[in-house]
Amino acid sequence: MNAMNNDLIENLRFVDVELVSNLHGRCFFDAWDFKTISQILKMAGAFGLVSRRSSAQSIVGFAIARIAVDECELLTLGVAPECRAIGFGAQLLQATMKRAVIEKAKWIFLEVSEDNMAALRLYRSHGFIKVGNRPRYYENSDGTRSDAYTMRVALPNFNISVKKDDVLC
C-alpha cells in the first residue's frame, strides 16, 4: 500500500485539533494535547496540515510549523503507526516546504530525536543536514532521555516548483 496522489493534504482546521492531538499521542511519548495544539496554531505565522486517505475521512498524518521572517520551523510531524513508510510523511514534509516557500521562507529548521531513524532518513532525503545537538532533549517512555539533532535545509536549494495557482491545501 502506498500513499496515492489523490490522498488529501489539507489545512488543519479547528474541528480536527482533537483528532490530531489523539494521533500525536499515538506518535509521540510526550504528546501534545488539544490545548497545546490550539495555542500553537494561534501563534503568528503558525499553520498546520493534515493528511487524509482518499478512501476515508480519517486523518492519518499531520504537520505543524511556524514561519517567522524568512525561517520556518517544523514543530512536529507525525503519521499513524499503521500508515508509516508508505509516503504520507514525505507528502506532509513536501507540502510544508512548499507552504514555507510560498510564505517567502529561505530556511526550514526542525529537531528530531537522534534515535528516530525513519525520520532521519526522511529529512536527509529532503536535503536536511545536522547543524546542532540538544543533549537529553526528548523524554522516552522508559524514563531515559535522548538527544535531539537540530537540522535545516535552505529552501532555494530544494527543488520545488511552486506556481502561483498551486493549491496546497
Side-chain angles (χ1 to χ4, degrees), residues 39 54 64 71 85 97 99-100 113 121 141 146 151 155 165:
Q39 288 175 331
S54 58
I64 299 174
E71 295 179 352
M97 294 172 87
R99 174 82 169 259
S113 178
R121 277 191 303 276
S141 61
S146 297
M151 301 182 81
L155 290 171
D165 60 345

Side-chain angles (χ1 to χ4, degrees), residues 109-124:
F109 290 84
L110 59 84
E111 286 147 350
V112 60
S113 178
E114 67 180 351
D115 54 7
N116 188 340
M117 295 303 149
L120 286 167
R121 277 191 303 276
L122 173 66
Y123 299 138
R124 287 178 178 141

Side-chain angles (χ1 to χ4, degrees), residues 3 75 88 100:
L75 301 169
F88 289 109

Side-chain angles (χ1 to χ4, degrees), residues 29 115 138-146:
F29 172 70
D115 54 7
Y138 290 110
E139 182 180 355
N140 302 311
S141 61
D142 64 2
T144 62
R145 299 195 69 85
S146 297

Side-chain angles (χ1 to χ4, degrees), residues 20-159:
V20 169
S21 68
N22 291 336
L23 183 53
H24 201 278
R26 293 181 58 211
C27 294
F28 302 104
F29 172 70
D30 55 346
W32 295 357
D33 60 13
F34 177 90
K35 182 179 178 184
T36 300
I37 293 172
S38 296
Q39 288 175 331
I40 289 170
L41 291 173
K42 290 177 186 173
M43 296 169 66
F47 66 93
L49 303 172
V50 295
S51 180
R52 297 179 195 273
R53 296 295 327 232
S54 58
S55 59
Q57 287 300 307
S58 62
I59 293 172
V60 297
F62 58 85
I64 299 174
R66 180 178 55 195
I67 297 173
V69 189
D70 65 350
E71 295 179 352
C72 179
E73 181 182 9
L74 178 60
L75 301 169
T76 189
L77 186 150
V79 175
E82 66 276 10
C83 295
R84 292 182 182 157
I86 56 174
F88 289 109
Q91 286 178 344
L92 284 161
L93 181 58
Q94 290 164 10
T96 301
M97 294 172 87
K98 284 182 181 181
R99 174 82 169 259
V101 168
I102 288 169
E103 299 288 334
K104 309 285 189 246
K106 295 179 181 175
W107 298 93
I108 186 165
F109 290 84
L110 59 84
E111 286 147 350
V112 60
S113 178
E114 67 180 351
D115 54 7
N116 188 340
M117 295 303 149
L120 286 167
R121 277 191 303 276
L122 173 66
Y123 299 138
R124 287 178 178 141
S125 74
H126 284 79
F128 284 84
I129 59 168
K130 180 182 171 189
V131 294
N133 193 57
R134 292 183 182 243
R136 302 175 41 80
Y137 188 73
Y138 290 110
E139 182 180 355
N140 302 311
S141 61
D142 64 2
T144 62
R145 299 195 69 85
S146 297
D147 289 358
Y149 292 158
T150 302
M151 301 182 81
R152 77 172 180 200
V153 66
L155 290 171
N157 294 334
F158 187 77
N159 189 14

